[in-house]
Amino acid sequence: MLAVHAPSCLRSSLLYRSRASSSPSLSLIRTHTVSRLFFSPSGPSSLCNLVVMNGANSTTLDTSSEHVSGNWYSVPELRLRDHWFTVPLDYSRDLHSSSKISVFAREVVTAGKEEQTLPYLLYLQGGPGFECSRPTESSGWIHKACEEFRVILMDQRGTGLSTALTVSSMTQFKSAEAVADYLKHFRADNIVNDAEFIRVRLVPEAGPWTVLGQSYGGFCAVTYLSFAPQGLKQVLLTGGIPPIGDGCTADSVYREGFHQVIQQNDKFYKRYPQDIKIVHEIVNHLAEQEGGGVKLPSGGILTPRGLQTLGLSGLGSSSGFERLHYMFERVWDPTLLPGVPKRISYYFLSTFEKWLSFDTNPLYALMHEAIYCQGTSSRWSANRLRAEYEDKFDAIQAAREGRPVLFTGEMIFPWMFDEIHALKQFKDAAHILAEKKDWPRLYDVKVLNNNKVPVAAAVYYEDMYVNFKLAMETVSQIAGIRLWITNEFMHSGLHDAGSQVLDHLLGMLNGKKPLF
């Protein structure tokens, strides 16, 4: 999914200037000097209380630093420290002239282990376009990882605290072309470049680290294996093995994806057959409204095809069926007065918008198909492929004929940029990205064929988001990869049983579970 320039640029002797953050909560700046790199001068800093940490010695602030870190703080059983790195927007350009963005990473250790020498583990979040979750306690996979690692939670560029590209921040661009030109730097190639930038400054002696990639984060990890394996000690993949063929693999992804989605719909309605009639009523009600739908709280419109997108969150995770069913329980407003027409409740409409998350994470919609492109365009792949299955996915026709209305899965359609209020301003940019052909390469099959980095992967047999068949085709191209194929978990396995999943994968690499 992503092209990487890491090998050449990260071996360069040039690095980039950075500005210290003006956040009042920061009091320390740490730099890890690497012999092959040097820092260039920078302008004056707005933080006068920062100091440079180099081993045990402290000096006044060196404003050439590209790495700012805060003090340790606590959540139950964990100690956390925040880091900000100033990185190039475009690693392929001269590193001094490229625009700069900030990438945020949170360091996590078990309380009491702050000064212990521990190996580093970088976690790459699923997405694209979603920030890392914020730890509130020591639990799940983080609890397990902190038993032996110093965990780094990186907000991928454009998300969270990493110069976030939000519905409001992107209004600063003056044209759709400018938006699209900026967004081309937000695929896995540059996510890996950012990870390497951070590694050589954070890990002592710029040593290699372990990478744990969940879902899209696993796609990024395979890009890492392709272009910067020297930075990797071992790689753990959970529901994150990408298709790596040339061109745009989105068509094969969605072709297989529609088949899997149909199966998930069948399972949902077998569990909750009473919802067949409820969904019929909703679809008919929406189709009868002026404009073909009802107004959403944000100002967008809910149409029958929009309703079908609930499958994105509702069909692929362990508790998704239940959450979707309970959502339908409260679809209608109660009738308080005689003669009042039936109306969809505010609760349902508000919950619908929150499920999609496009208002807070628009990058997901804008970049979703681009993550599959190498040297060619996606041309709205999901929309084109849906036409092949329209006899099954036509919601209005299904409701009229009494058939179950099928929900769609992890697919982005061009009409979303008309019906979802938060996405309307990006409609033209989305079309530019869909037609863009010159996407860089994301994977190097020759390098993967000769991989020497230990890799263990959890492959979920009934994963709606990462197709099993396509994943296994990629597995055959990664030398030495060890697989754990299971139907015990869905795509959300790391969230649902993180300690168990992580323990199993680590065991496969350290000899406790020598399974292939």
Side-chain angles (χ1 to χ4, degrees):
M1 342 194 245
L2 327 113
V4 176
H5 310 288
S8 60
C9 72
L10 289 170
R11 284 196 292 265
S12 170
S13 62
L14 297 178
L15 278 182
Y16 346 97
R17 74 185 64 172
S18 69
R19 298 188 301 268
S21 168
S22 60
S23 169
S25 64
L26 300 180
S27 61
L28 295 178
I29 181 167
R30 302 178 7 161
T31 62
H32 296 273
T33 304
V34 184
S35 60
R36 66 180 184 275
L37 307 175
F38 71 88
F39 297 102
S40 60
S42 179
S45 168
S46 60
L47 272 184
C48 59
N49 64 329
L50 297 183
V51 295
V52 172
M53 305 300 295
N54 186 4
N57 299 320
S58 299
T59 65
T60 56
L61 174 66
D62 177 359
T63 57
S64 66
S65 174
E66 306 147 317
H67 172 199
V68 177
S69 66
N71 293 319
W72 289 104
Y73 58 97
S74 299
V75 299
E77 299 184 26
L78 296 175
R79 293 282 281 168
L80 314 175
R81 178 163 55 182
D82 298 340
H83 299 264
W84 286 262
F85 299 86
T86 301
V87 307
L89 172 68
D90 182 0
Y91 284 87
S92 68
R93 295 184 58 189
D94 176 80
L95 302 182
H96 289 288
S97 62
S98 175
S99 299
K100 304 300 187 294
I101 60 174
S102 177
V103 172
F104 172 81
R106 179 170 280 116
E107 182 179 359
V108 185
V109 297
T110 297
K113 292 186 176 182
E114 296 91 326
E115 303 304 321
Q116 289 188 20
T117 300
L118 298 167
Y120 281 69
L121 181 148
L122 171 69
Y123 175 66
L124 294 176
Q125 168 75 29
F130 285 87
E131 64 275 15
C132 270
S133 59
R134 273 41 184 168
T136 57
E137 62 181 357
S138 181
S139 61
W141 73 264
I142 287 182
H143 175 81
K144 176 63 183 178
C146 285
E147 290 178 359
E148 56 182 288
F149 292 100
R150 189 176 294 271
V151 175
I152 305 299
L153 304 175
M154 182 180 76
D155 283 349
Q156 295 168 18
R157 55 169 48 200
T159 74
L161 295 179
S162 294
T163 309
L165 296 180
T166 65
V167 171
S168 54
S169 70
M170 284 193 283
T171 61
Q172 298 171 38
F173 296 108
K174 302 303 181 184
S175 68
E177 290 77 13
V179 173
D181 187 62
Y182 199 81
L183 290 179
K184 70 184 182 183
H185 303 296
F186 287 78
R187 300 199 310 162
D189 49 357
N190 286 311
I191 293 171
V192 171
N193 284 330
D194 293 340
E196 278 292 271
F197 186 101
I198 292 171
R199 180 184 63 83
V200 299
R201 287 158 184 77
L202 198 59
V203 180
E205 307 300 326
W209 55 11
T210 294
V211 168
L212 169 61
Q214 158 65 16
S215 188
Y216 175 72
F219 288 28
C220 296
V222 176
T223 298
Y224 214 148
L225 283 169
S226 294
F227 295 99
Q230 72 277 3
L232 300 170
K233 182 178 180 180
Q234 55 190 2
V235 170
L236 311 172
L237 306 175
T238 57
I241 298 179
I244 60 175
D246 291 333
C248 184
T249 57
D251 280 13
S252 59
V253 168
Y254 295 126
R255 184 167 284 112
E256 297 294 338
F258 276 111
H259 288 297
Q260 184 66 42
V261 166
I262 291 170
Q263 293 179 27
Q264 292 301 106
N265 273 280
D266 183 60
K267 293 176 186 177
F268 171 74
Y269 283 121
K270 283 182 177 178
R271 187 175 300 181
Y272 298 108
Q274 64 270 41
D275 288 347
I276 294 175
K277 182 179 178 181
I278 294 174
V279 177
H280 285 167
E281 292 174 347
I282 301 171
V283 168
N284 289 331
H285 177 81
L286 294 173
E288 292 166 0
Q289 304 306 303
E290 183 178 355
V294 301
K295 190 174 180 179
L296 290 163
S298 67
I301 184 172
L302 176 60
T303 64
R305 62 188 180 183
L307 180 75
Q308 290 174 284
T309 63
L310 286 173
L312 171 60
S313 296
L315 297 184
S317 61
S318 61
S319 61
F321 285 8
E322 285 67 41
R323 292 188 297 118
L324 186 58
H325 168 69
Y326 294 137
M327 184 177 172
F328 288 136
E329 285 186 335
R330 297 183 61 184
V331 65
W332 302 110
D333 267 341
T335 301
L336 304 180
L337 298 173
V340 174
K342 199 170 190 178
R343 189 171 66 179
I344 294 177
S345 69
Y346 179 89
Y347 169 86
F348 184 87
L349 297 175
S350 176
T351 303
F352 170 83
E353 292 197 299
K354 291 174 182 175
W355 266 45
L356 296 183
S357 300
F358 293 136
D359 58 338
T360 55
N361 299 83
L363 278 186
Y364 179 86
L366 285 161
M367 299 300 293
H368 193 265
E369 291 197 354
I371 69 175
Y372 296 109
C373 295
Q374 300 184 98
T376 190
S377 58
S378 71
R379 297 183 298 115
W380 292 113
S381 176
N383 198 54
R384 288 186 290 103
L385 269 293
R386 176 172 173 157
E388 299 178 11
Y389 301 90
E390 195 56 28
D391 60 325
K392 292 182 171 59
F393 283 90
D394 186 324
I396 296 174
Q397 181 179 347
R400 288 172 179 170
E401 295 176 358
R403 294 184 286 110
V405 173
L406 300 186
F407 300 99
T408 52
E410 192 178 31
M411 296 135 185
I412 299 298
F413 303 103
W415 48 260
M416 291 179 169
F417 292 83
D418 292 311
E419 297 181 4
I420 299 172
H421 180 74
L423 298 181
K424 287 181 179 180
Q425 63 179 308
F426 306 121
K427 178 179 179 178
D428 292 341
H431 283 293
I432 293 171
L433 292 169
E435 297 299 327
K436 179 179 170 61
K437 297 179 179 179
D438 58 342
W439 293 108
R441 291 174 61 204
L442 301 172
Y443 311 104
D444 189 322
V445 175
K446 287 186 177 180
V447 172
L448 295 175
N449 288 166
N450 294 283
N451 172 61
K452 299 296 190 297
V453 178
V455 182
V459 181
Y460 306 126
Y461 187 73
E462 297 182 341
D463 194 327
M464 189 185 79
Y465 304 100
V466 178
N467 179 262
F468 178 78
K469 174 185 174 182
L470 297 179
M472 295 307 292
E473 291 176 359
T474 296
V475 162
S476 68
Q477 299 294 319
I478 303 176
I481 187 171
R482 298 185 175 189
L483 293 183
W484 173 32
I485 300 174
T486 178
N487 63 355
E488 184 177 358
F489 306 108
M490 298 179 72
H491 188 73
S492 55
L494 189 65
H495 175 269
D496 301 327
S499 183
Q500 178 183 346
V501 170
L502 185 58
D503 181 66
H504 197 108
L505 293 179
L506 290 171
M508 292 168 67
L509 296 184
N510 63 23
K512 292 182 180 179
K513 293 180 171 60
L515 305 176
F516 286 84

